[in-house]
Amino acid sequence: MALSSNSMQVYGYDLLLGFIAAFYVFMAPFTKVEESFNVQAMHDILYHRHHIEQYDHLEFPGVVPRTFIGKDSYAIFSIAFSSILVSALASPVALAASLLQYPKLYSLYAVRLALGFIILSSLRFFRIQIRKNFGSQVEAFFVILTAIQFHMLFYCTRPLPNILAFGLVNLAYGYWFQRRFYAALNSLVFATIVFRCDILLLVSPLGLELLLTRSISLRKAVISCVIAASFFIGLTVMVDSVMWRRMLWPELEVFWFNSVLNRSSEWGIHAFHWYFTSALPRSLLVAYPLSVLGLFLDRRIRIYVIPVLSFVTLYSKLPHKELRFIISALPIFNLSAAIAASRIYNNRKKSLWKYLNIAMLGLFLISLGCTILTFMASYENYPSAHALNALHKMGYLEHNPNDSWVHIDTFSAMNGISRFCENHEPWRYSKEEGIPIQEFQQRNFTYLLSEHAQINGYKCLLSTTGFSGTRLHVGFPPISLVKKPKVYVHGNTYNDEIIHRNWPGC
């Protein structure tokens, strides 16, 4: 009993955050287009192993190449959150699923849980330094704020380059708090060279601050970072040139595409202030105003916030913006907010502070409500995966068991379907692109997953809805989700078994 109580004291916060992250995984296990390269790479490592010619990225390389370090060889440095480790942790589940002929979706659960475990372990390292530097109460509020926010725990299990870099950034924060400045810089160099070149925007202001405060020597910092950069450039070029079958440094091409050519703007642009007026308020919720207050209540936090705030400001100059690009900034802002929350709580019996405490608790509840609403919207954001699952349950052909060839259009492939969603034989799948809609009736596909409701030569068998927006109304809750049909499953009209089967319809 005493051992159990002690374990809860040591790992209680980790269990809370881990439980929430795992809940998100089981409720919304599917992935979107921005995760496609990493999740397909993890699938191929698990199921194709050394048969590189069968890997998905050779057929669908994407707009820019991404590194395979983090998928197959990156247990080399100070954090073991690579996908080789993720795949290794998930491999027993994948093997069992294959032997028992279970759907590969079980392997996707395992992959995402393993990744979440590793990322949350890096956050734990940072959280321990928070306790040592600011006390256990600030640590407690840091955990509470993280728990009632949606994006950090939802994203921490998602195989994105931003999340792979996020683990290293958490390590860097922990080293920074330990005053191991060169280790912090080297962790950020690793993240920059291999996973996200934009972490350079965090390395630069942090390095400048450390120089101005005389925490590091310019000469020693340059030598340390150049050695680290040389090693990691060599590593990524060596591994990725083999995997991509050409000489390649992926993040250099990403940097050229996004920053020099500014081609990322083709995916949409936002105003300079968007991170401060939209992304941070949505991701931080109550922690957003509290983080500002924390700067005034404890001068110690300013030295940590300034480089991170500079990172977000510098990133704002890039026209194409997404919340995940600045997810590495959230832990520091949450720390500043936790300091403010702790100060308000400690002074709650004083006249003015009492009202601040009441307002803060109210905002905590509102933040929790916003997180629940955001999760509900995210749950409905993978319509094609739900459509394919429904087809697998209803579409097996008893009289023609080998005739189950499914075409997945581009929209469906981008909104929930990965190789992990595919079933074993006799199911076959095609993601062939560029087929004109009128040409499908000349093809021999058994089923189609499409964004189009009508296709000649095929009958619409069922449809799945997806998140389309929100609606305000009188009553409780005052906000409801708007859902519309997004993906349609069609069956070939030449197949009598399909036509005469009872389908839900469209």
Side-chain angles (χ1 to χ4, degrees):
M1 191 69 178
L3 181 61
S4 176
S5 176
N6 186 56
S7 297
M8 284 301 296
Q9 287 181 348
V10 175
Y11 299 109
Y13 292 147
D14 304 302
L15 291 174
L16 171 63
L17 299 181
F19 175 82
I20 297 171
F23 173 79
Y24 291 148
V25 168
F26 286 111
M27 295 303 295
F30 310 110
T31 54
K32 301 280 277 188
V33 60
E34 57 268 21
E35 304 159 68
S36 60
F37 173 75
N38 290 291
V39 76
Q40 308 291 31
M42 292 178 182
H43 168 275
D44 293 341
I45 290 167
L46 284 172
Y47 288 95
H48 299 317
R49 299 181 179 88
H50 62 282
H51 300 289
I52 300 176
E53 69 279 358
Q54 299 180 26
Y55 277 37
D56 183 87
H57 72 283
L58 296 177
E59 184 178 0
F60 302 99
V63 178
V64 289
R66 285 296 184 185
T67 181
F68 267 83
I69 300 178
K71 291 91 184 162
D72 60 349
S73 61
Y74 143 51
I76 298 173
F77 205 59
S78 56
I79 181 172
F81 77 124
S82 67
S83 295
I84 181 83
L85 180 58
V86 171
S87 299
L89 291 173
S91 59
V93 176
L95 178 61
S98 296
L99 292 175
L100 298 173
Q101 289 292 296
Y102 284 171
K104 288 190 284 187
L105 186 60
Y106 288 93
S107 299
L108 180 58
Y109 287 129
V111 161
R112 289 194 51 194
L113 288 172
L115 178 60
F117 171 79
I118 297 166
I119 297 300
L120 289 178
S121 295
S122 74
L123 187 65
R124 181 180 193 273
F125 174 70
F126 174 50
R127 177 175 56 76
I128 290 173
Q129 309 315 313
I130 291 176
R131 182 174 70 237
K132 292 179 179 179
N133 285 269
F134 293 94
S136 58
Q137 187 167 287
V138 171
E139 177 196 20
F141 274 108
F142 176 84
V143 172
I144 292 170
L145 290 168
T146 302
I148 64 174
Q149 295 165 356
F150 174 74
H151 293 90
M152 191 189 302
L153 294 181
F154 184 75
Y155 273 98
C156 76
T157 65
R158 312 198 76 81
L160 290 159
N162 312 82
I163 298 305
L164 297 174
F166 182 47
L168 284 169
V169 173
N170 285 333
L171 275 186
Y173 289 154
Y175 291 141
W176 188 11
F177 278 44
Q178 289 181 334
R179 303 187 64 80
R180 296 171 60 187
F181 302 122
Y182 298 105
L185 291 175
N186 286 336
S187 295
L188 294 178
V189 167
F190 188 3
T192 302
I193 295 295
V194 176
F195 294 110
R196 288 294 305 193
C197 58
D198 45 36
I199 298 297
L200 179 65
L201 300 177
L202 179 57
V203 180
S204 301
L206 174 58
L208 180 60
E209 181 184 87
L210 293 176
L211 285 171
L212 293 176
T213 57
R214 298 185 178 181
S215 300
I216 58 174
S217 158
L218 176 60
R219 179 177 176 274
K220 189 175 179 180
V222 169
I223 292 174
S224 176
C225 291
V226 166
I227 292 174
S230 300
F231 174 77
F232 294 126
I233 291 171
L235 176 64
T236 185
V237 169
M238 179 182 66
V239 173
D240 292 307
S241 296
V242 172
M243 302 304 291
W244 285 95
R245 298 185 171 183
R246 64 185 176 91
M247 200 66 168
L248 178 66
W249 175 9
E251 280 309 296
L252 180 61
E253 291 199 13
V254 172
F255 173 78
W256 186 264
F257 183 90
N258 287 338
S259 301
V260 179
L261 300 179
N262 197 24
R263 293 283 303 280
S264 62
S265 298
E266 298 172 9
W267 278 261
I269 62 174
H270 292 94
F272 178 86
H273 57 77
W274 185 81
Y275 283 131
F276 297 99
T277 57
S278 179
L280 287 175
R282 285 185 291 115
S283 56
L284 291 173
L285 301 172
V286 64
Y288 194 40
L290 286 176
S291 65
V292 177
L293 183 59
L295 294 174
F296 296 97
L297 295 179
D298 193 333
R299 67 179 64 182
R300 293 177 300 168
I301 192 59
R302 297 172 193 170
I303 197 170
Y304 298 110
V305 171
I306 289 173
V308 175
L309 188 61
S310 301
F311 163 65
V312 178
T313 304
L314 291 170
Y315 218 142
S316 297
K317 292 182 66 65
L318 190 69
H320 178 62
K321 298 176 175 66
E322 295 185 39
L323 189 154
R324 61 189 174 94
F325 293 169
I326 60 164
I327 196 167
S328 296
L330 300 188
I332 293 294
F333 290 137
N334 275 343
L335 171 58
S336 182
I339 290 171
S342 179
R343 182 70 62 87
I344 292 171
Y345 179 79
N346 287 338
N347 292 280
R348 66 190 182 279
K349 294 184 179 179
K350 299 178 182 178
S351 56
L352 177 61
W353 293 89
K354 176 175 66 176
Y355 297 108
L356 283 175
N357 187 56
I358 293 172
M360 181 180 73
L361 294 177
L363 289 173
F364 271 51
L365 292 176
I366 292 173
S367 295
L368 181 59
C370 291
T371 292
I372 293 172
L373 183 66
T374 307
F375 162 71
M376 292 170 62
S378 296
Y379 176 80
E380 301 291 345
N381 224 11
Y382 306 92
S384 55
H386 295 298
L388 187 60
N389 279 349
L391 177 61
H392 286 153
K393 292 177 181 178
M394 304 179 64
Y396 179 74
L397 302 176
E398 296 179 0
H399 300 299
N400 299 286
N402 295 320
D403 191 17
S404 298
W405 193 16
V406 183
H407 181 268
I408 300 166
D409 74 351
T410 301
F411 178 85
S412 299
M414 293 172 62
N415 288 278
I417 293 179
S418 69
R419 298 289 190 193
F420 282 108
C421 297
E422 299 175 356
N423 270 5
H424 301 287
E425 293 183 353
W427 291 93
R428 295 181 296 145
Y429 305 88
S430 168
K431 294 192 295 182
E432 182 181 349
E433 299 176 346
I435 302 176
I437 190 170
Q438 63 273 12
E439 191 178 313
F440 278 106
Q441 61 183 332
Q442 302 170 19
R443 298 297 188 100
N444 198 32
F445 296 115
T446 315
Y447 299 104
L448 306 178
L449 262 70
S450 175
E451 62 178 318
H452 301 288
Q454 294 182 336
I455 299 178
N456 291 337
Y458 289 82
K459 175 185 177 182
C460 190
L461 308 176
L462 61 93
S463 65
T464 54
T465 59
F467 175 70
S468 183
T470 57
R471 180 188 295 120
L472 295 173
H473 57 84
V474 178
F476 183 83
I479 303 176
S480 60
L481 302 182
V482 177
K483 295 182 285 185
K484 294 181 180 179
K486 295 282 188 177
V487 177
Y488 301 88
V489 177
H490 303 272
N492 196 315
T493 54
Y494 289 103
N495 190 306
D496 291 336
E497 187 175 354
I498 292 176
I499 298 304
H500 293 102
R501 182 170 293 182
N502 187 25
W503 298 91
C506 298

